[in-house]
Amino acid sequence: GGSGSGKTDSGNASDDKISITMGIEGGDDLPDAIMGLKFKELIEEKSNGRITVSWYGNGQLGGDDELLQQVMNGSINAALISTSTFSDYSEELDVLQLPFLFKDYETEKKALESSEAQALYKDLEELNLKILAVTEIGMRNFANNTKPIEKLSDLKGIKMRIVPSTLVARAAELVGMTVTPMSYSEIYTGLQQNIIDGEEINLISINLERHYEVLKYVSLINFYTFPSALTFNLDFYNGLSDEDKALFDECKEEAFNYSIAQTEQKEEDSLQVISNAGLQLNEISEEAKAEFKTAVQPMYDEYAAKSENMAAFIKMAQGL
Amino acid sequence: MVLVILAFILSLVVGIPIAFVLGMTGIAHLVVINYPDIANIVPQRMFYGINVFSYMCIPFFIAAGQIMNKGGITQKIVDVSQEFVGFKRGGLAYTVVLVGMVLAAILGSANAVSVILCTIMIPAMVSSGYDEEFAGSLVASSGILGCIIPPSVDFVIYAVLAGVSVQKLFVGGILPGICLGFGFMAVIAITTKKKKYPKYKEHFEPGPAFKTLFTSLPALCVPVIIVGGVLAGVFTPTESGAVACVVATILGFAYRNLKIKDLPGIFASAALITAGIMLIISFGNVIGWTLAFDKVPEKLVQAITSTTTNPSLVMALVLGMLFLIGMVMEAFAAMIILVPVLYPLGEAMGYDPIHFGMIIIIMLTIALATPPVGMLLFTTSKVSGIHLNKLNKSIWPFVAAGMVVTIILAYVPQITTFLPNLLYGK
Amino acid sequence: MRAITAAFDKIEWLVKILAAAAMFLMTVIVTVCVVKRYCFGTTFIWSDELVRYLLIWSTFLGAAVGFRHFDLVLLDLFIGLLPKKFASFLAIIVHFVTMVFIGYIFYISLNYTLSPAVLFKNSTGLGISMMYPFLALPLGFGLMFLFGIENIPKIINRLKIKNLITEGGER
Ligand code: NA
Ligand code: NA
């Protein structure tokens, strides 16, 4: 058997071998897995094999909720976790997902690297978590089997499955969505048997999870982002030597840049697959989008009121 | 690893409850690999192992079955099937397989199918002169069909893990599912002949048959509502269990066999039976985690590929490996840790991903019915009250039939790939 | 001893009432959700979660009752082959090992339930602390431990009478 988790006792000597256990819920083709795997490749290379990463993909160690708990406890050292998962403990990261906060991935990238974002990440250290980097797995769009969504009123009466998240539920409420909760593994058959009419989802997942086999319409609105965080156990991170911390920073920087560039590429590829599968795609006009934006406007004040760091982040993001 | 296996076998044979055997084995594994955080990971895996909505179908169908038995609805359904199949030797047993196939086409899980069959068909078979262990093992193995005949939650999970089409897998499951059904029917044919199970009547008599059908029409509402509701998209297969409880209760009142004061006892007993089953799943989830964490599936695959690179031999070794892992693990949990390592192996050996996936799923599902650890056996034993030892013996002809079918399917890929290729192209 | 048994009977009665109530609630909630979704297209955001937590509660409490009556699934094929006296003697050792295990699970699950990762986690739908759903674990195993102590005299007595395990459940 291998050694259980993590570092050796004296984390300061830079010739100590370190093995990192890292988990993720999704498959290796998702942009956050790409970031994790790139980090693994870089750190193993740059440390000449002194630091190694044991990779556990495809939810082998558990789903997002479970991985987050495992990282907090130190059951594993690190994981890639959707930022919406953190909101059961702290709402700080929810602000990254405010509807229509970023007009494109380039803006989002700048925001995710900003000092305002770092301040949000820093707040999670209270939970014994060290967020190294946050990447994006693709903005959410409407997909359904009833009709193309072209304006706000089109959503009425379409049974949509949403991700279980307070922020997403609030956004859905404000745009008048008919929300039907459903567990993730039941979505495919739920769509096939018409128990739900549609879902809010990113293009890459429609492709990877084969939902295009049971969907008719995809309406491109880029409603809100879906970021994912490379999260370490804080005790583990603090046990690293300063040189190793610098090495971590160097690798995460490169891995982040690499992965977020892939997000757009993977999204274009997925769009191709989806349209080849015969789904009807539609853009949403700027006027129609304005209706949606007005509807969710109250959320900006609600979240700005929650904490100073969140308010600062919103202000910064709006200025980009 | 040898130590862990010894701990498992020892704790199993001395008669420790199987749920605890799984928990002890998982903890032994963590101790052996020198894992430092046992105290946190064990309770976490136990909780999240049963924090799954689709398991709700187990208590719902147990309760629905008991309500139907108490309400006299089961008897009516049995009367109807006796009238229509009772003139054939073993007719009721064949009915179990056929009903299992129909249920499998509606529900996505093996447990759900066998729980319904348990509560309805076992009492019927026993009262018509079949041995209880034959009835029990027939029901347990018919549950296997639940995972193979579409729709199936297992297929969706495999498809996402392996990146293949869910629809193709669904369609691919039809012929193998029917083959398995025929395999079980062959066992019935041999057993009924050997044991001379009685006929209900000599010939089919249309008059009494249709009279029974007519008077039992309200009772037939329960299955019709379950089937219709799921097909029409009114509720999910999991939810259908709750709807069945409600409909059965209303009918039981209507037939005046069920009283309100019966309900608390029925609900309590359904909850207690479910508790025993869920406790096993809960501790089993600990083992799933330790095997994944220690990368045991990867090590096994490496062992296989270092032994041989002949595709046929690799297939044989994979079948053996799945059979062994299925002895100690739930299919669902096993798939999550196995598919990511097995899928690339199949690809490298040149197997069609639909075909290879089908074999993995069938094998892991059959393992649900193999002793010593087989969820379908536990469920059947708990729900029907048949002693596990009896089932552990009587199940083997069905397991053997299932294995023969699987081996044929493994080496004749066309049976699986024919329909999907016909409908969706290569 | 009789007083203790009477007290435990009361506890068991309570657990059964709770399990039946949980089962009844699950059925009602899911049915109402089906009807609500069919009529209005939407259901409660908390329903799926509540149903899961009810099942978890009735699992661990119900399992304790099952343990009290020697009603948990086990393999007694090999024990049945042993001489009765030896089998009964082995049953005492098995009971002891099982009790140590149950005690350990009780201890670690109580600690886990009160750890920050659980205590400070709010469930998405109901908005309650995850401590409440997790509490089922220490409660269930705590009860199991108590029932296990109660059963010790029974198991020792049966050393004199006959094989305990093959007698099976007394549900
Ligand atoms: Na099925
Ligand atoms: Na098995």
Side-chain angles (χ1 to χ4, degrees):
Chain A
S3 83
S5 96
K7 63 194 169 63
T8 45
D9 306 320
S10 52
N12 287 326
S14 62
D15 55 348
D16 274 348
K17 281 200 181 294
I18 298 175
S19 85
I20 300 167
T21 46
M22 190 181 287
I24 186 170
E25 176 178 318
D28 291 355
D29 285 333
L30 283 166
D32 54 347
I34 290 172
M35 177 162 81
L37 286 166
K38 193 72 186 173
F39 180 84
K40 168 181 158 74
E41 178 195 321
L42 291 169
I43 201 118
E44 288 178 350
E45 186 187 299
K46 289 183 196 242
S47 69
N48 293 318
R50 183 175 57 82
I51 303 176
T52 52
V53 177
S54 265
W55 178 258
Y56 299 93
N58 291 301
Q60 289 187 58
L61 299 184
D64 268 350
D65 266 15
E66 298 143 66
L67 289 170
L68 182 57
Q69 281 191 351
Q70 290 174 25
V71 174
M72 282 172 77
N73 293 328
S75 300
I76 56 175
N77 306 129
L80 292 124
I81 304 163
S82 306
T83 54
S84 63
T85 315
F86 293 75
S87 74
D88 287 347
Y89 296 96
S90 147
E91 290 184 301
E92 292 292 88
L93 294 187
D94 275 357
V95 74
L96 303 176
Q97 283 192 283
L98 272 183
F100 306 112
L101 187 56
F102 309 115
K103 60 175 187 291
D104 50 31
Y105 291 125
E106 209 172 308
T107 331
E108 188 191 356
K109 178 170 187 283
K110 277 187 204 141
L112 289 174
E113 285 177 307
S114 66
S115 58
E116 286 84 356
Q118 299 301 325
L120 295 172
Y121 307 160
K122 181 99 184 145
D123 285 340
L124 291 173
E125 292 189 6
E126 274 178 35
L127 296 168
N128 200 22
L129 297 170
K130 169 75 189 175
I131 292 190
L132 220 52
V134 176
T135 191
E136 171 61 46
I137 67 166
M139 296 202 203
R140 306 290 266 198
N141 296 298
F142 300 127
N144 80 94
N145 283 323
T146 309
K147 61 178 177 194
I149 307 296
E150 279 163 342
K151 51 187 187 304
L152 192 66
S153 57
D154 286 340
L155 279 174
K156 211 157 202 71
I158 298 181
K159 285 179 274 181
M160 294 279 255
R161 187 266 176 187
I162 62 165
V163 139
S165 137
T166 320
L167 175 130
V168 171
R170 178 75 178 127
E173 182 194 343
L174 287 172
V175 297
M177 227 191 260
T178 310
V179 169
T180 308
M182 176 171 280
S183 63
Y184 198 63
S185 61
E186 285 187 330
I187 298 178
Y188 185 96
T189 42
L191 286 168
Q192 194 179 36
Q193 295 173 324
N194 292 320
I195 291 160
I196 47 171
D197 300 321
E199 56 180 336
E200 49 80 39
I201 192 162
N202 50 323
L203 297 170
I204 299 175
S205 295
I206 297 182
N207 175 17
L208 295 178
E209 315 257 330
R210 308 271 154 173
H211 287 187
Y212 58 81
E213 294 178 349
V214 285
L215 281 168
K216 289 201 187 92
Y217 310 103
V218 176
S219 310
L220 304 168
I221 186 168
N222 286 346
F223 197 10
Y224 38 80
T225 60
F226 218 82
S228 178
L230 174 55
T231 315
F232 275 81
N233 176 278
L234 184 65
D235 293 336
F236 170 81
Y237 181 82
N238 286 340
L240 296 170
S241 68
D242 289 343
E243 300 92 80
D244 282 346
K245 279 182 185 157
L247 193 62
F248 268 52
D249 275 343
E250 193 186 323
C251 295
K252 77 127 202 252
E253 193 71 32
E254 228 180 300
F256 168 72
N257 284 326
Y258 177 77
S259 111
I260 202 145
Q262 292 268 308
T263 307
E264 240 174 312
Q265 186 55 51
K266 292 260 168 196
E267 201 164 271
E268 271 168 38
D269 297 346
S270 300
L271 206 57
Q272 200 58 51
V273 172
I274 293 167
S275 85
N276 285 350
L279 273 74
Q280 191 181 322
L281 295 156
N282 71 287
E283 305 270 353
I284 293 179
S285 69
E286 281 310 315
E287 306 93 78
K289 230 178 195 173
E291 270 187 311
F292 284 94
K293 284 182 183 172
T294 316
V296 297
Q297 201 51 46
M299 293 178 77
Y300 279 70
D301 292 334
E302 286 164 22
Y303 278 84
K306 283 181 199 275
S307 85
E308 272 174 36
N309 282 344
M310 287 160 101
F313 182 84
I314 295 173
K315 203 165 160 222
M316 176 276 303
Q318 284 174 324
L320 286 173
Chain B
M1 204 61 214
V2 179
L3 258 153
V4 180
I5 294 168
L6 277 177
F8 169 74
I9 295 173
L10 186 73
S11 53
L12 191 68
V13 298
V14 297
I16 291 177
I18 286 176
F20 300 155
V21 169
L22 298 179
M24 288 174 187
T25 311
I27 291 175
H29 190 181
L30 291 172
V31 171
V32 166
I33 63 173
N34 208 5
Y35 182 78
D37 200 36
I38 298 178
N40 282 325
I41 201 65
V42 171
Q44 204 228 12
R45 294 333 286 158
M46 287 178 64
F47 181 90
Y48 284 100
I50 57 171
N51 188 31
V52 179
F53 185 72
S54 48
Y55 287 140
M56 286 309 305
C57 62
I58 300 174
F60 283 150
F61 283 132
I62 294 175
Q66 291 186 347
I67 295 170
M68 285 165 76
N69 290 345
K70 190 88 192 167
I73 300 163
T74 312
Q75 194 51 51
K76 300 261 177 212
I77 295 174
V78 171
D79 290 346
V80 173
S81 36
Q82 288 289 38
E83 284 294 339
F84 283 88
V85 299
F87 58 93
K88 173 129 184 54
R89 205 176 284 286
L92 204 52
Y94 293 110
T95 313
V96 170
V97 178
L98 289 176
V99 172
M101 281 166 135
V102 174
L103 288 174
I106 301 151
L107 307 168
S109 97
N111 266 316
V113 171
S114 71
V115 164
I116 307 194
L117 289 174
C118 259
T119 38
I120 300 175
M121 298 310 282
I122 292 182
M125 287 182 72
V126 171
S127 69
S128 329
Y130 291 85
D131 299 320
E132 60 168 8
E133 60 264 39
F134 174 72
S137 49
L138 172 63
V139 160
S141 41
S142 298
I144 294 172
L145 301 170
C147 290
I148 313 301
I149 294 180
S152 152
V153 183
D154 302 65
F155 285 168
V156 177
I157 292 165
Y158 174 83
V160 172
L161 289 173
V164 297
S165 160
V166 186
Q167 271 175 348
K168 276 186 155 187
L169 265 174
F170 274 9
V171 173
I174 296 174
L175 289 181
I178 293 174
C179 290
L180 274 174
F182 280 133
F184 298 149
M185 287 184 186
V187 177
I188 297 172
I190 296 167
T191 318
T192 41
K193 213 171 176 185
K194 218 167 64 187
K195 298 216 172 169
K196 302 230 176 346
Y197 286 131
K199 288 181 186 180
Y200 175 73
K201 50 171 36 180
E202 275 311 309
H203 303 287
F204 176 66
E205 296 161 44
F210 284 100
K211 191 167 167 256
T212 315
L213 180 67
F214 187 74
T215 54
S216 310
L217 274 182
L220 294 174
C221 271
V222 183
V224 167
I225 286 175
I226 297 178
V227 176
V230 174
L231 292 183
V234 182
F235 39 75
T236 65
T238 310
E239 293 165 339
S240 72
V243 177
C245 284
V246 173
V247 177
T249 307
I250 294 170
L251 277 173
F253 289 151
Y255 277 119
R256 294 173 185 278
N257 291 323
L258 186 76
K259 292 178 192 67
I260 288 195
K261 69 173 174 22
D262 295 329
L263 288 178
I266 289 176
F267 278 140
S269 125
L272 291 187
I273 292 171
T274 310
I277 298 165
M278 299 296 281
L279 191 71
I280 298 173
I281 298 178
S282 172
F283 277 114
N285 199 43
V286 177
I287 295 201
W289 197 90
T290 67
L291 290 179
F293 188 83
D294 195 20
K295 303 219 177 245
V296 172
E298 259 177 71
K299 289 174 188 166
L300 285 173
V301 166
Q302 273 163 14
I304 290 178
T305 46
S306 66
T307 313
T308 172
T309 51
N310 176 315
S312 303
L313 271 176
V314 167
M315 179 63 97
L317 290 173
V318 167
L319 285 179
M321 165 184 163
L322 293 172
F323 187 75
L324 289 178
I325 289 193
M327 286 207 154
V328 296
M329 267 182 91
E330 256 289 276
F332 182 81
M335 212 146 61
I336 287 174
I337 65 166
L338 286 173
V339 174
V341 293
L342 281 182
Y343 172 68
L345 176 69
E347 210 174 24
M349 293 296 132
Y351 283 108
D352 181 293
I354 302 285
H355 170 233
F356 200 66
M358 192 64 59
I359 300 303
I360 295 178
I361 294 168
I362 292 179
M363 201 59 217
L364 284 175
T365 316
I366 289 179
L368 293 178
T370 55
V373 180
M375 218 52 225
L376 288 172
L377 296 171
F378 302 154
T379 325
T380 307
S381 165
K382 276 255 109 184
V383 176
S384 65
I386 302 168
H387 201 287
L388 186 65
N389 284 347
K390 287 185 175 174
L391 286 180
N392 279 349
K393 269 181 233 157
S394 59
I395 194 74
W396 284 109
F398 291 99
V399 170
M403 288 298 300
V404 169
V405 172
T406 312
I407 290 168
I408 295 172
L409 290 172
Y411 292 104
V412 189
Q414 289 79 5
I415 302 173
T416 308
T417 55
F418 172 71
L419 279 180
N421 287 345
L422 186 75
L423 287 174
Y424 301 104
K426 279 252 173 190
Chain C
M1 192 60 223
R2 197 162 288 173
I4 295 174
T5 307
F8 282 177
D9 283 344
K10 279 250 164 60
I11 296 177
E12 182 183 322
W13 177 80
L14 193 68
V15 168
K16 281 182 177 161
I17 295 277
L18 284 174
M23 191 61 225
F24 177 74
L25 242 136
M26 293 187 273
T27 316
V28 170
I29 293 171
V30 173
T31 311
V32 168
C33 281
V34 167
V35 173
K36 191 161 184 263
R37 187 181 55 220
Y38 188 74
C39 297
F40 306 103
T42 178
T43 59
F44 312 106
I45 198 111
W46 46 263
S47 56
D48 167 302
E49 210 172 72
L50 179 58
V51 166
R52 275 184 279 126
Y53 298 159
L54 285 171
L55 182 63
I56 289 170
W57 265 76
S58 65
T59 293
F60 291 111
L61 292 183
V65 170
F67 181 68
R68 187 185 192 204
H69 296 289
F70 305 100
D71 202 19
L72 296 180
V73 181
L74 51 81
L75 201 71
D76 52 14
L77 184 66
F78 300 96
I79 297 290
L81 302 174
L82 296 173
K84 296 261 154 129
K85 270 275 176 220
F86 184 68
S88 311
F89 177 68
L90 192 62
I92 295 174
I93 298 174
V94 163
H95 190 68
F96 177 75
V97 172
T98 309
M99 289 292 286
V100 171
F101 176 75
I102 290 172
Y104 177 66
I105 299 289
F106 164 74
Y107 173 75
I108 60 175
S109 61
L110 182 63
N111 274 336
Y112 194 67
T113 303
L114 300 176
S115 75
V118 174
L119 205 55
F120 300 140
K121 180 178 165 71
N122 293 312
S123 75
T124 316
L126 295 161
I128 54 166
S129 162
M130 283 303 283
M131 179 189 83
Y132 298 107
F134 265 92
L135 214 49
L137 273 140
L139 265 177
F141 284 93
L143 264 181
M144 233 180 256
F145 194 80
L146 293 179
F147 287 147
I149 293 175
E150 182 204 8
N151 277 340
I152 290 173
K154 267 192 218 166
I155 292 169
I156 292 176
N157 279 340
R158 288 183 194 195
L159 184 57
K160 298 167 198 155
I161 317 166
K162 54 182 170 171
N163 192 331
L164 158 80
I165 301 165
T166 44
E167 198 177 301
E170 33 184 278
R171 182 171 65 233

